[in-house]
């Protein structure tokens, strides 16, 4: 284990250290994220009720808060995103025979784990219970006591490090914006900027997952089924679509922030903006609140029923992210329900009558797709030789039950369509209702093909995204649209 360095009583570097040591800050400098923020999100993910303890812990000092979080929500640092420029700087210093230390305001145990991951670290300085927060002037005092003023090079990335740099032999910085660069260069003209990461607008757009908005096209299903094509119905449906897009993006942001360890261990999800460290966690929380406020604000322009349905959707998505996604079978029922709620939202926005046929069809079809989603994840893990994600409640052997269950639910949706086409209601909506029967084999084909592709391990882990990006699915949709057109 990397030793924790205690301040020297002489205030000078140890005699064995002939080279000036390199002191490296952790949060934002060595890693692209912040350990305190990571701790908070993981505590909320594991036990949301613990969130109410944060003010009490903070009242006892920031150092106490960090120690409590490190104890109650231990982090897996193996996949934490490192800043390449800083790692290269460390390796260069080590190659020159210079000792490298990590100095952070984060809890000492976490800093030690990072030191072990990097390797060759001479020691660490961190925040300890009862020892005060190791940041700013407190960090400078510890470093000066150990190495002497001017006896070390220091690399940091925050305004709080301005209290450390005056005592350093050499100023090195990671600058997150141009204003900070100017501040550093004005005060330390000889400073070296080792990295200038940029938070791009594209990162925020990617984090909002706009491709997922395609799911919200389900809001227009009632418009098509009931043949309500007047401008007023189209306008309110479009507004409802926007509300669900904003609310969905807000929910995806929260879900990504709560599931950072799982995403970083995933070959594709590790590239998401928060998992990769391209976006700060705090920025994600702020954006999630703004998007949710915008969704709820716009929903007030529609009926109270739509507002209620949107609130149910928000509540379910948050419950899913915090707890329900870890409960076997409950998660797929909730996922199927979230798709169906979008259909209900379209009905409420247009203030049209609820169709039991449409709701039954939606429930069975989307339950089938939710099961396919879980199957595709299990199959991908099996083929990669990995165990299923911990805490999800599924095992690889469950595929023997899940795949038939997905097929049964999918074919049940086809049966609902057949029963609907046999009802008197169809004759009042379609001039040639008999032609509508062609929809059934088309739908059965698409469901069967999706199950086959999932079983082969070729399915995207979200079947809706698969449908949007799959040419055969588009062709199937065009054929279905043509059948409806010639039946009207």
């Amino acid at each position: 284990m990397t030793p924790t360095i205690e301040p020297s009583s002489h205030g000078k570097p140890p005699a064995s250290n002939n080279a000036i040591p390199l002191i490296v800050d952790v949060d934002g400098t060595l890693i692209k994220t912040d350990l305190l923020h990571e701790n908070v999100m993981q505590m909320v993910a594991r036990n949301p009720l613990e969130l109410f303890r944060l003010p009490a812990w903070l009242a006892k000092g920031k150092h106490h808060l960090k120690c409590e979080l490190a104890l109650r929500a231990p982090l897996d640092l193996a996949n934490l995103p490192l800043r390449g420029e800083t790692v290269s700087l460390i390796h260069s210093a080590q190659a020159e025979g210079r000792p490298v230390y990590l100095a952070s305001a984060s809890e000492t145990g976490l800093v030690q784990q990072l030191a072990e991951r990097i390797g060759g670290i001479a020691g660490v300085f961190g925040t300890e219970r009862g020892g005060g927060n190791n940041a700013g002037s407190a960090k400078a005092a510890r470093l000066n006591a150990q190495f002497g003023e001017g006896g070390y090079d220091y690399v940091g990335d925050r305004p709080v490090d301005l209290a450390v740099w005056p005592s350093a032999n050499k100023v090195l910085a990671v600058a997150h914006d141009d204003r900070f660069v100017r501040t550093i260069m004005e005060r330390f003209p000889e400073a070296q900027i080792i990295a200038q990461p940029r938070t791009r607008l594209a990162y925020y757009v990617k984090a909002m997952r706009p491709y997922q908005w395609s799911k919200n096209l389900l809001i227009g299903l009632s418009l098509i089924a009931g043949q309500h094509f007047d401008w007023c119905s189209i306008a309110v449906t479009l507004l409802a679509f926007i509300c669900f897009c904003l609310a969905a993006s807000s929910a995806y942001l929260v879900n990504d922030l709560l599931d950072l360890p799982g995403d970083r261990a995933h070959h594709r999800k590790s590239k998401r903006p928060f998992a990769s460290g391209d976006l700060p966690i705090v920025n994600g929380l702020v954006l999630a609140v703004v998007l949710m406020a915008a969704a709820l604000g716009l929903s007030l322009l529609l009926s109270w029923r739509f507002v209620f349905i949107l609130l149910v959707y928000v509540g379910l998505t948050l419950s899913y992210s915090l707890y329900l996604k870890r409960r076997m079978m409950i998660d797929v029922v909730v996922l199927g329900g979230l798709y169906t709620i979008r259909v209900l939202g379209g009905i409420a926005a247009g203030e049209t009558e609820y169709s039991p046929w449409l709701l039954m069809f939606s429930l069975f079809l989307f339950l089938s797709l939710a099961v396919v989603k879980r199957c595709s994840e299990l199959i991908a893990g099996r083929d990669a030789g990995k165990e299923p994600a911990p805490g999800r409640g599924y095992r690889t052997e469950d595929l023997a039950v899940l795949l038939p269950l997905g097929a049964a639910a999918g074919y049940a949706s086809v049966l609902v369509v057949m029963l609907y086409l046999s009802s008197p209601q169809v004759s009042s909506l379609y001039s040639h209702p008999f032609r509508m029967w062609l929809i059934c084999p088309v739908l059965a084909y698409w469901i069967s093909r999706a199950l086959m592709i999932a079983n082969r391990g070729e399915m995207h882990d979200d079947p809706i995204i698969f449908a949007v990006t799959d040419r055969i699915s588009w062709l199937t949709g065009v054929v279905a649209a043509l059948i409806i057109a010639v039946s009207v």
Side-chain angles (χ1 to χ4, degrees), residues 67-84:
C67 293
E68 288 290 345
L69 287 170
L71 179 65
R72 297 170 185 269
L75 298 176
D76 180 6
L77 307 183
N79 296 313
L80 216 60
L82 302 176
R83 192 170 303 285

PDB file of all heavy atoms in Angstrom, residues 67-84:
ATOM      1  N   CYS A  67     -15.365  11.955   4.565  1.00  0.00           N
ATOM      2  CA  CYS A  67     -15.050  10.698   5.245  1.00  0.00           C
ATOM      3  C   CYS A  67     -16.287   9.817   5.397  1.00  0.00           C
ATOM      4  O   CYS A  67     -16.220   8.593   5.244  1.00  0.00           O
ATOM      5  CB  CYS A  67     -14.412  10.973   6.601  1.00  0.00           C
ATOM      6  SG  CYS A  67     -12.773  11.724   6.494  1.00  0.00           S
ATOM      7  N   GLU A  68     -17.428  10.430   5.716  1.00  0.00           N
ATOM      8  CA  GLU A  68     -18.678   9.663   5.835  1.00  0.00           C
ATOM      9  C   GLU A  68     -19.072   9.063   4.491  1.00  0.00           C
ATOM     10  O   GLU A  68     -19.493   7.900   4.402  1.00  0.00           O
ATOM     11  CB  GLU A  68     -19.800  10.569   6.353  1.00  0.00           C
ATOM     12  CG  GLU A  68     -19.684  10.942   7.819  1.00  0.00           C
ATOM     13  CD  GLU A  68     -19.954   9.767   8.744  1.00  0.00           C
ATOM     14  OE1 GLU A  68     -20.497   8.744   8.280  1.00  0.00           O
ATOM     15  OE2 GLU A  68     -19.625   9.863   9.941  1.00  0.00           O
ATOM     16  N   LEU A  69     -18.939   9.850   3.411  1.00  0.00           N
ATOM     17  CA  LEU A  69     -19.287   9.359   2.083  1.00  0.00           C
ATOM     18  C   LEU A  69     -18.372   8.221   1.654  1.00  0.00           C
ATOM     19  O   LEU A  69     -18.828   7.229   1.082  1.00  0.00           O
ATOM     20  CB  LEU A  69     -19.208  10.505   1.061  1.00  0.00           C
ATOM     21  CG  LEU A  69     -20.327  11.554   1.131  1.00  0.00           C
ATOM     22  CD1 LEU A  69     -20.004  12.734   0.239  1.00  0.00           C
ATOM     23  CD2 LEU A  69     -21.663  10.935   0.727  1.00  0.00           C
ATOM     24  N   ALA A  70     -17.080   8.374   1.927  1.00  0.00           N
ATOM     25  CA  ALA A  70     -16.133   7.326   1.551  1.00  0.00           C
ATOM     26  C   ALA A  70     -16.430   6.030   2.293  1.00  0.00           C
ATOM     27  O   ALA A  70     -16.231   4.928   1.755  1.00  0.00           O
ATOM     28  CB  ALA A  70     -14.711   7.784   1.845  1.00  0.00           C
ATOM     29  N   LEU A  71     -16.947   6.140   3.516  1.00  0.00           N
ATOM     30  CA  LEU A  71     -17.267   4.964   4.320  1.00  0.00           C
ATOM     31  C   LEU A  71     -18.558   4.300   3.855  1.00  0.00           C
ATOM     32  O   LEU A  71     -18.640   3.072   3.771  1.00  0.00           O
ATOM     33  CB  LEU A  71     -17.388   5.366   5.795  1.00  0.00           C
ATOM     34  CG  LEU A  71     -17.746   4.263   6.791  1.00  0.00           C
ATOM     35  CD1 LEU A  71     -16.630   3.230   6.860  1.00  0.00           C
ATOM     36  CD2 LEU A  71     -18.011   4.856   8.173  1.00  0.00           C
ATOM     37  N   ARG A  72     -19.572   5.105   3.513  1.00  0.00           N
ATOM     38  CA  ARG A  72     -20.902   4.576   3.198  1.00  0.00           C
ATOM     39  C   ARG A  72     -21.098   4.270   1.719  1.00  0.00           C
ATOM     40  O   ARG A  72     -21.985   3.494   1.365  1.00  0.00           O
ATOM     41  CB  ARG A  72     -21.978   5.562   3.670  1.00  0.00           C
ATOM     42  CG  ARG A  72     -21.984   5.758   5.183  1.00  0.00           C
ATOM     43  CD  ARG A  72     -22.877   6.916   5.584  1.00  0.00           C
ATOM     44  NE  ARG A  72     -22.807   7.179   7.007  1.00  0.00           N
ATOM     45  CZ  ARG A  72     -23.619   6.631   7.914  1.00  0.00           C
ATOM     46  NH1 ARG A  72     -24.558   5.797   7.512  1.00  0.00           N
ATOM     47  NH2 ARG A  72     -23.491   6.909   9.194  1.00  0.00           N
ATOM     48  N   ALA A  73     -20.323   4.908   0.861  1.00  0.00           N
ATOM     49  CA  ALA A  73     -20.462   4.680  -0.580  1.00  0.00           C
ATOM     50  C   ALA A  73     -19.084   4.488  -1.199  1.00  0.00           C
ATOM     51  O   ALA A  73     -18.612   5.324  -1.965  1.00  0.00           O
ATOM     52  CB  ALA A  73     -21.190   5.853  -1.238  1.00  0.00           C
ATOM     53  N   PRO A  74     -18.405   3.392  -0.857  1.00  0.00           N
ATOM     54  CA  PRO A  74     -17.064   3.157  -1.410  1.00  0.00           C
ATOM     55  C   PRO A  74     -17.105   3.086  -2.933  1.00  0.00           C
ATOM     56  O   PRO A  74     -18.028   2.534  -3.520  1.00  0.00           O
ATOM     57  CB  PRO A  74     -16.652   1.819  -0.785  1.00  0.00           C
ATOM     58  CG  PRO A  74     -17.934   1.170  -0.366  1.00  0.00           C
ATOM     59  CD  PRO A  74     -18.859   2.279   0.000  1.00  0.00           C
ATOM     60  N   LEU A  75     -16.086   3.642  -3.557  1.00  0.00           N
ATOM     61  CA  LEU A  75     -16.034   3.729  -5.015  1.00  0.00           C
ATOM     62  C   LEU A  75     -15.130   2.645  -5.589  1.00  0.00           C
ATOM     63  O   LEU A  75     -14.121   2.272  -4.993  1.00  0.00           O
ATOM     64  CB  LEU A  75     -15.511   5.095  -5.448  1.00  0.00           C
ATOM     65  CG  LEU A  75     -16.349   6.313  -5.044  1.00  0.00           C
ATOM     66  CD1 LEU A  75     -15.641   7.594  -5.473  1.00  0.00           C
ATOM     67  CD2 LEU A  75     -17.740   6.245  -5.672  1.00  0.00           C
ATOM     68  N   ASP A  76     -15.503   2.177  -6.772  1.00  0.00           N
ATOM     69  CA  ASP A  76     -14.632   1.306  -7.552  1.00  0.00           C
ATOM     70  C   ASP A  76     -13.845   2.206  -8.499  1.00  0.00           C
ATOM     71  O   ASP A  76     -14.394   2.759  -9.454  1.00  0.00           O
ATOM     72  CB  ASP A  76     -15.462   0.290  -8.335  1.00  0.00           C
ATOM     73  CG  ASP A  76     -14.600  -0.649  -9.176  1.00  0.00           C
ATOM     74  OD1 ASP A  76     -13.359  -0.558  -9.050  1.00  0.00           O
ATOM     75  OD2 ASP A  76     -15.163  -1.441  -9.939  1.00  0.00           O
ATOM     76  N   LEU A  77     -12.563   2.375  -8.214  1.00  0.00           N
ATOM     77  CA  LEU A  77     -11.749   3.330  -8.960  1.00  0.00           C
ATOM     78  C   LEU A  77     -11.050   2.707 -10.168  1.00  0.00           C
ATOM     79  O   LEU A  77     -10.311   3.405 -10.874  1.00  0.00           O
ATOM     80  CB  LEU A  77     -10.698   3.956  -8.034  1.00  0.00           C
ATOM     81  CG  LEU A  77     -11.236   4.585  -6.738  1.00  0.00           C
ATOM     82  CD1 LEU A  77     -10.096   5.221  -5.961  1.00  0.00           C
ATOM     83  CD2 LEU A  77     -12.309   5.611  -7.037  1.00  0.00           C
ATOM     84  N   ALA A  78     -11.302   1.434 -10.430  1.00  0.00           N
ATOM     85  CA  ALA A  78     -10.571   0.746 -11.495  1.00  0.00           C
ATOM     86  C   ALA A  78     -10.838   1.341 -12.871  1.00  0.00           C
ATOM     87  O   ALA A  78      -9.943   1.380 -13.721  1.00  0.00           O
ATOM     88  CB  ALA A  78     -10.933  -0.740 -11.496  1.00  0.00           C
ATOM     89  N   ASN A  79     -12.076   1.814 -13.099  1.00  0.00           N
ATOM     90  CA  ASN A  79     -12.434   2.339 -14.421  1.00  0.00           C
ATOM     91  C   ASN A  79     -12.611   3.850 -14.435  1.00  0.00           C
ATOM     92  O   ASN A  79     -13.133   4.406 -15.406  1.00  0.00           O
ATOM     93  CB  ASN A  79     -13.725   1.671 -14.908  1.00  0.00           C
ATOM     94  CG  ASN A  79     -13.560   0.186 -15.126  1.00  0.00           C
ATOM     95  OD1 ASN A  79     -12.596  -0.255 -15.734  1.00  0.00           O
ATOM     96  ND2 ASN A  79     -14.500  -0.599 -14.623  1.00  0.00           N
ATOM     97  N   LEU A  80     -12.195   4.507 -13.370  1.00  0.00           N
ATOM     98  CA  LEU A  80     -12.329   5.960 -13.303  1.00  0.00           C
ATOM     99  C   LEU A  80     -11.513   6.613 -14.424  1.00  0.00           C
ATOM    100  O   LEU A  80     -10.358   6.238 -14.639  1.00  0.00           O
ATOM    101  CB  LEU A  80     -11.833   6.457 -11.948  1.00  0.00           C
ATOM    102  CG  LEU A  80     -12.566   7.636 -11.318  1.00  0.00           C
ATOM    103  CD1 LEU A  80     -14.023   7.308 -11.083  1.00  0.00           C
ATOM    104  CD2 LEU A  80     -11.910   8.008  -9.992  1.00  0.00           C
ATOM    105  N   PRO A  81     -12.076   7.569 -15.171  1.00  0.00           N
ATOM    106  CA  PRO A  81     -11.342   8.158 -16.306  1.00  0.00           C
ATOM    107  C   PRO A  81     -10.169   9.020 -15.856  1.00  0.00           C
ATOM    108  O   PRO A  81     -10.337   9.971 -15.086  1.00  0.00           O
ATOM    109  CB  PRO A  81     -12.412   9.001 -17.016  1.00  0.00           C
ATOM    110  CG  PRO A  81     -13.403   9.340 -15.948  1.00  0.00           C
ATOM    111  CD  PRO A  81     -13.426   8.147 -15.032  1.00  0.00           C
ATOM    112  N   LEU A  82      -8.989   8.679 -16.321  1.00  0.00           N
ATOM    113  CA  LEU A  82      -7.773   9.427 -15.999  1.00  0.00           C
ATOM    114  C   LEU A  82      -7.493  10.456 -17.102  1.00  0.00           C
ATOM    115  O   LEU A  82      -7.871  10.265 -18.252  1.00  0.00           O
ATOM    116  CB  LEU A  82      -6.579   8.483 -15.868  1.00  0.00           C
ATOM    117  CG  LEU A  82      -6.680   7.373 -14.824  1.00  0.00           C
ATOM    118  CD1 LEU A  82      -5.449   6.473 -14.892  1.00  0.00           C
ATOM    119  CD2 LEU A  82      -6.835   7.953 -13.425  1.00  0.00           C
ATOM    120  N   ARG A  83      -6.834  11.540 -16.720  1.00  0.00           N
ATOM    121  CA  ARG A  83      -6.439  12.542 -17.711  1.00  0.00           C
ATOM    122  C   ARG A  83      -5.082  12.142 -18.287  1.00  0.00           C
ATOM    123  O   ARG A  83      -4.075  12.084 -17.575  1.00  0.00           O
ATOM    124  CB  ARG A  83      -6.368  13.931 -17.069  1.00  0.00           C
ATOM    125  CG  ARG A  83      -6.260  15.041 -18.108  1.00  0.00           C
ATOM    126  CD  ARG A  83      -6.435  16.403 -17.478  1.00  0.00           C
ATOM    127  NE  ARG A  83      -7.686  16.567 -16.770  1.00  0.00           N
ATOM    128  CZ  ARG A  83      -8.878  16.734 -17.359  1.00  0.00           C
ATOM    129  NH1 ARG A  83      -8.960  16.727 -18.681  1.00  0.00           N
ATOM    130  NH2 ARG A  83      -9.967  16.889 -16.630  1.00  0.00           N
ATOM    131  N   GLY A  84      -5.059  11.866 -19.576  1.00  0.00           N
ATOM    132  CA  GLY A  84      -3.865  11.352 -20.226  1.00  0.00           C
ATOM    133  C   GLY A  84      -2.653  12.245 -20.086  1.00  0.00           C
ATOM    134  O   GLY A  84      -1.528  11.755 -19.868  1.00  0.00           O
TER     135      GLY A  84
END
